[in-house]
Amino acid sequence: MTPTMPADHRELISDLSGNVNDHPSTDPEVTLTVLARDAAEALGRVGTPEGLRERTGYTVLLHATCWYVAARVFSKSLSASYTKALDGFRATLDQASCSCPDGSHPTDLDSEYTVEAGVGLLTEAGRAAFAEDYDIDDEELAAYDCEGFLAGLADRGTASIREAYGRNFGGIDVSHLDAQFLRDGGGIDVVAMQEAIRRTWENNTGPVALWSARRWLSGQVRDEERLGVFLSMWMGIAQSYGGLPPSYARDLTAAMDTIDLDVTCDHPRHPWHTADATVESRYRAVLHLYAPDDHPNTPVPADLASRDQWECPVQYAELARSGKTDLEGWRVMRGGDEEDWEA
């Protein structure tokens, strides 16, 4: 008879494959929390043949999905659950016991295939189905159970989670940007900030936004610089389409909260909203505002380009509202508890 995998395990493959392919079909936080919980429960069975199979399968699965936990789900509890499960399995593994020939350990560990392998390795029936589907012989299958191989996966997985924990929830140092954005005498070079935030391929968006927020909160901003710093911060939020982690969002939220939203004016329109919602259009608008001789082209019509319209409190309020909406959207999109996003 052709071996078959249990139906719930086939469903698990579908759910986890969505995560490793970065196109989840279920709530990733829920799916991965259940995976970490089941792995932790399996620790109590490691002394049995069933438990040894589960140790292999869950270690492979936690390693395969830990990148998603690190980069896509900003939840302290989920990170802690992954670390606990991986550390628990690691404590049962003797890396020095490995006697496998060089090159015999599985190497394709960053794909949907690894999810199928991990789920299949959980049970005897699953192993048979996995071996049948991929024409894997007994020796190749046994390599997954090598304690040295599994110890390496567990070590790399916990290192990835711990490094990401600091990046997602700790303090981010952006003081190196002082050298780029501060002029002699302490003034702020808004043009340099704009040039940096425009280079999205260098992953500048988040750091520039965070530097702007901290400068804004410190009060070390001259009157003529306030608009440029605020727009740079707002652009950093608007252009971080995948969302920034709490380590960034905390200061960005605090800066947006300084804006008075209960204001009115007589302007029918404001300059910022006449610029197309593109990185290039916004960039040209701000550069024209701060260096008109060097950057004469602007998407803002002349009748809306007066400084009082640019500096209108209502425009600040409109931008702050949209920025706060984006920040709240990050929290919903990336998960985690409310306190994970607070200072």
Side-chain angles (χ1 to χ4, degrees):
M1 295 179 60
T2 301
T4 59
M5 192 175 294
D8 59 331
H9 282 192
R10 292 197 298 272
E11 183 178 353
L12 180 59
I13 288 174
S14 176
D15 292 345
L16 295 179
S17 293
N19 293 141
V20 298
N21 290 324
D22 210 8
H23 291 288
S25 57
T26 59
D27 184 329
E29 188 173 3
V30 173
T31 299
L32 298 174
T33 295
V34 170
L35 175 65
R37 182 202 65 197
D38 291 347
E41 291 177 357
L43 281 168
R45 299 188 290 270
V46 168
T48 68
E50 173 194 12
L52 289 175
R53 288 192 291 269
E54 290 179 326
R55 178 179 69 178
T56 297
Y58 282 123
T59 301
V60 170
L61 289 173
L62 292 171
H63 176 270
T65 56
C66 69
W67 80 266
Y68 198 94
V69 174
R72 297 290 188 266
V73 184
F74 302 141
S75 166
K76 290 182 178 179
S77 62
L78 180 56
S79 296
S81 296
Y82 259 62
T83 301
K84 181 179 179 180
L86 285 165
D87 281 344
F89 286 130
R90 181 64 178 87
T92 72
L93 297 165
D94 178 11
Q95 193 163 29
S97 68
C98 174
S99 58
C100 300
D102 289 344
S104 62
H105 287 167
T107 56
D108 183 15
L109 301 175
D110 297 304
S111 67
E112 189 174 342
Y113 170 83
T114 311
V115 167
E116 292 189 47
V119 175
L121 293 164
L122 291 171
T123 63
E124 197 67 52
R127 286 173 175 240
F130 174 62
E132 177 83 9
D133 288 343
Y134 288 96
D135 193 24
I136 296 174
D137 61 32
D138 291 343
E139 186 176 336
E140 291 176 291
L141 199 62
Y144 280 99
D145 293 314
C146 170
E147 292 194 23
F149 167 68
L150 294 174
L153 294 188
D155 287 343
R156 293 194 293 276
T158 53
S160 173
I161 294 292
R162 289 190 172 107
E163 188 276 332
Y165 190 94
R167 183 177 66 247
N168 292 336
F169 304 107
I172 304 297
D173 183 8
V174 290
S175 60
H176 62 283
L177 295 177
D178 290 355
Q180 296 182 43
F181 301 153
L182 294 182
R183 295 190 176 103
D184 293 340
I188 297 172
D189 190 340
V190 174
V191 172
M193 294 171 66
Q194 284 293 306
E195 290 174 346
I197 207 170
R198 185 183 183 217
R199 298 193 298 272
T200 56
W201 59 89
E202 295 181 2
N203 296 317
N204 285 329
T205 308
V208 174
L210 183 58
W211 188 92
S212 303
R214 289 180 178 168
R215 195 74 184 180
W216 180 271
L217 292 168
S218 74
Q220 297 177 294
V221 182
R222 298 171 182 175
D223 288 346
E224 67 272 16
E225 299 164 346
R226 283 177 54 81
L227 181 60
V229 171
F230 187 81
L231 288 175
S232 295
M233 175 171 52
W234 184 89
M235 289 166 70
I237 295 171
Q239 292 165 202
S240 295
Y241 307 110
L244 295 169
S247 52
Y248 288 80
R250 289 191 296 262
D251 286 340
L252 293 169
T253 299
M256 289 291 157
D257 284 343
T258 66
I259 302 300
D260 184 2
L261 303 182
D262 188 19
V263 289
T264 60
C265 73
D266 295 326
H267 299 137
R269 289 191 303 167
H270 293 99
W272 192 243
H273 300 297
T274 65
D276 294 333
T278 65
V279 173
E280 182 64 23
S281 181
R282 292 164 177 168
Y283 166 79
R284 289 193 296 112
V286 179
L287 260 61
H288 177 77
L289 184 64
Y290 277 88
D293 293 338
D294 295 332
H295 303 277
N297 296 319
T298 175
V300 179
D303 61 326
L304 294 175
S306 66
R307 193 74 187 203
D308 69 307
Q309 288 173 299
W310 270 108
E311 296 280 3
C312 178
V314 171
Q315 178 167 258
Y316 275 94
E318 291 170 348
L319 292 171
R321 286 192 191 94
S322 69
K324 292 172 74 166
T325 297
D326 285 344
L327 288 161
E328 176 59 22
W330 297 352
R331 197 198 70 75
V332 173
M333 175 173 57
R334 294 305 179 197
D337 297 326
E338 195 72 41
E339 55 266 28
D340 294 346
W341 291 82
E342 297 173 353

Short mmCIF file of all heavy atoms in Angstrom, two decimals, residues 198 278-285 299:
data_model
loop_
_atom_site.label_atom_id
_atom_site.label_comp_id
_atom_site.label_asym_id
_atom_site.label_seq_id
_atom_site.Cartn_x
_atom_site.Cartn_y
_atom_site.Cartn_z
N ARG A 198 15.50 58.41 0.30
CA ARG A 198 15.14 58.05 -1.07
C ARG A 198 15.82 56.75 -1.50
O ARG A 198 15.30 56.01 -2.33
CB ARG A 198 15.55 59.18 -2.01
CG ARG A 198 15.15 59.01 -3.46
CD ARG A 198 15.69 60.18 -4.26
NE ARG A 198 15.30 60.13 -5.64
CZ ARG A 198 16.08 60.49 -6.65
NH1 ARG A 198 17.30 60.92 -6.41
NH2 ARG A 198 15.65 60.45 -7.89
N THR A 278 4.19 59.24 -4.33
CA THR A 278 5.33 58.43 -4.72
C THR A 278 6.57 58.95 -4.02
O THR A 278 6.64 60.11 -3.61
CB THR A 278 5.57 58.47 -6.24
OG1 THR A 278 5.92 59.82 -6.61
CG2 THR A 278 4.32 58.04 -7.00
N VAL A 279 7.55 58.08 -3.86
CA VAL A 279 8.80 58.48 -3.21
C VAL A 279 9.44 59.63 -3.97
O VAL A 279 9.90 60.62 -3.37
CB VAL A 279 9.76 57.27 -3.14
CG1 VAL A 279 11.13 57.71 -2.62
CG2 VAL A 279 9.19 56.17 -2.26
N GLU A 280 9.46 59.55 -5.29
CA GLU A 280 10.13 60.57 -6.11
C GLU A 280 9.42 61.92 -6.00
O GLU A 280 10.07 62.97 -5.87
CB GLU A 280 10.17 60.12 -7.56
CG GLU A 280 10.89 61.07 -8.50
CD GLU A 280 12.37 61.23 -8.19
OE1 GLU A 280 12.94 60.31 -7.56
OE2 GLU A 280 12.95 62.27 -8.55
N SER A 281 8.09 61.93 -6.06
CA SER A 281 7.35 63.18 -6.00
C SER A 281 7.53 63.86 -4.64
O SER A 281 7.76 65.08 -4.56
CB SER A 281 5.86 62.92 -6.25
OG SER A 281 5.13 64.12 -6.22
N ARG A 282 7.43 63.10 -3.58
CA ARG A 282 7.62 63.67 -2.24
C ARG A 282 9.04 64.20 -2.08
O ARG A 282 9.26 65.27 -1.49
CB ARG A 282 7.32 62.61 -1.19
CG ARG A 282 5.85 62.22 -1.14
CD ARG A 282 5.66 60.92 -0.39
NE ARG A 282 4.24 60.58 -0.27
CZ ARG A 282 3.80 59.40 0.13
NH1 ARG A 282 4.67 58.44 0.41
NH2 ARG A 282 2.51 59.16 0.24
N TYR A 283 9.98 63.45 -2.59
CA TYR A 283 11.39 63.85 -2.51
C TYR A 283 11.60 65.20 -3.21
O TYR A 283 12.22 66.12 -2.65
CB TYR A 283 12.22 62.75 -3.17
CG TYR A 283 13.65 63.09 -3.51
CD1 TYR A 283 14.64 63.09 -2.53
CD2 TYR A 283 14.02 63.36 -4.83
CE1 TYR A 283 15.97 63.37 -2.86
CE2 TYR A 283 15.34 63.64 -5.16
CZ TYR A 283 16.31 63.63 -4.17
OH TYR A 283 17.61 63.92 -4.48
N ARG A 284 11.04 65.36 -4.40
CA ARG A 284 11.21 66.62 -5.13
C ARG A 284 10.52 67.78 -4.42
O ARG A 284 11.02 68.90 -4.42
CB ARG A 284 10.66 66.47 -6.56
CG ARG A 284 11.52 65.58 -7.45
CD ARG A 284 11.16 65.69 -8.92
NE ARG A 284 9.82 65.24 -9.22
CZ ARG A 284 8.83 66.02 -9.61
NH1 ARG A 284 9.02 67.32 -9.75
NH2 ARG A 284 7.63 65.52 -9.89
N ALA A 285 9.39 67.52 -3.78
CA ALA A 285 8.67 68.58 -3.08
C ALA A 285 9.49 69.12 -1.91
O ALA A 285 9.60 70.33 -1.72
CB ALA A 285 7.32 68.06 -2.58
N PRO A 299 6.47 69.28 -7.54
CA PRO A 299 5.09 68.94 -7.92
C PRO A 299 4.05 69.82 -7.26
O PRO A 299 2.86 69.72 -7.57
CB PRO A 299 4.96 67.49 -7.42
CG PRO A 299 5.89 67.42 -6.26
CD PRO A 299 7.05 68.30 -6.61
#
